[in-house]
Amino acid sequence: LATTADGLRTLGAKAWHLPDAYRTYIERCSKTAQPDGMLPSCTETLQGQINSGRSTGIRMGWLDDVTNALLGEPVDGIKDGVAAEVAEESALSEQLAELQAVEGFDGRQLRDLIVAKWGKEFDVEFTQTDYLGKASLYLNVFPWSPDRTPYRHESQEVYLEHLQAVAELLIRWGRVASVKRQIQETDKSPRRGTIPIKTVPLRLDLPNELVRSFRK
């Protein structure tokens, strides 16, 4: 770590291309660095900001030069074995969450989730998009409810049959936990009276091939 006056002056000489705020930090530190190598407060502040950027894995371009000069070259990422273990634990956690979410899940429970969130039996339908060769499938919550027209379902029984078909697909695709979480966490609401109408899209994150082969 460049804590001495000479070290900081060397760093300052290389800092001509940095933003003024960080160049000022370095210049001030080079003038106030202590003989015993103790870090002045301004260097501690700069180091704290650099460490914050490193801990999040964010690359800041011009800040990388300061980071490397003060802290040395960064250590390479997680070892392959550790990364594999982390990925495996994450996958197992997702599988467990899905197993718990699927228990008792059907069309009626999907209806209950929608009513608990928005207060009405809103309709849902799958919507497919294709952007730059990437096909995506969403479960959209539409602002259609039985208390207002237009409404495509002839009765609540037909509505529940539709939700049951949707629920079975979500179970097959392993997306029940994700849909439940999105419904509970979203701050959006379906709304009529806009052009186009406002829906709430729920991401399904399905493989490209599966989406392209999907037919409603």
Side-chain angles (χ1 to χ4, degrees), residues 28-42:
R28 185 184 307 162
C29 290
S30 68
K31 295 177 182 178
T32 59
Q34 305 301 314
D36 58 2
M38 294 298 291
L39 284 173
S41 60
C42 58

Side-chain angles (χ1 to χ4, degrees), residues 157-170:
E157 182 180 358
V158 175
Y159 170 65
L160 290 174
E161 288 177 356
H162 172 66
L163 293 188
Q164 180 62 31
V166 170
E168 290 175 2
L169 285 174
L170 295 178

Side-chain angles (χ1 to χ4, degrees), residues 26-114:
I26 295 169
E27 292 172 354
R28 185 184 307 162
C29 290
S30 68
K31 295 177 182 178
T32 59
Q34 305 301 314
D36 58 2
M38 294 298 291
L39 284 173
S41 60
C42 58
T43 310
E44 292 176 338
T45 302
L46 175 60
Q47 183 182 12
Q49 295 185 21
I50 289 170
N51 285 336
S52 176
R54 279 193 164 194
S55 66
T56 57
I58 298 173
R59 300 293 293 173
M60 300 185 184
W62 54 265
L63 185 54
D64 295 339
D65 292 338
V66 179
T67 304
N68 295 336
L70 285 176
L71 304 181
E73 293 293 331
V75 178
D76 289 338
I78 301 175
K79 299 293 184 181
D80 290 343
V82 177
E85 291 180 4
V86 171
E88 183 176 356
E89 290 180 2
S90 177
L92 289 174
S93 177
E94 290 179 1
Q95 291 174 12
L96 178 60
E98 183 65 19
L99 287 173
Q100 294 172 338
V102 164
E103 186 175 356
F105 185 73
D106 58 9
R108 290 183 179 275
Q109 190 177 110
L110 178 57
R111 186 270 314 271
D112 293 343
L113 283 169
I114 293 171

Side-chain angles (χ1 to χ4, degrees), residues 133-150:
K134 169 64 176 176
S136 299
L137 193 66
Y138 294 82
L139 179 62
N140 268 313
V141 183
F142 285 84
W144 312 131
S145 55
D147 59 328
R148 294 182 62 182
T149 56

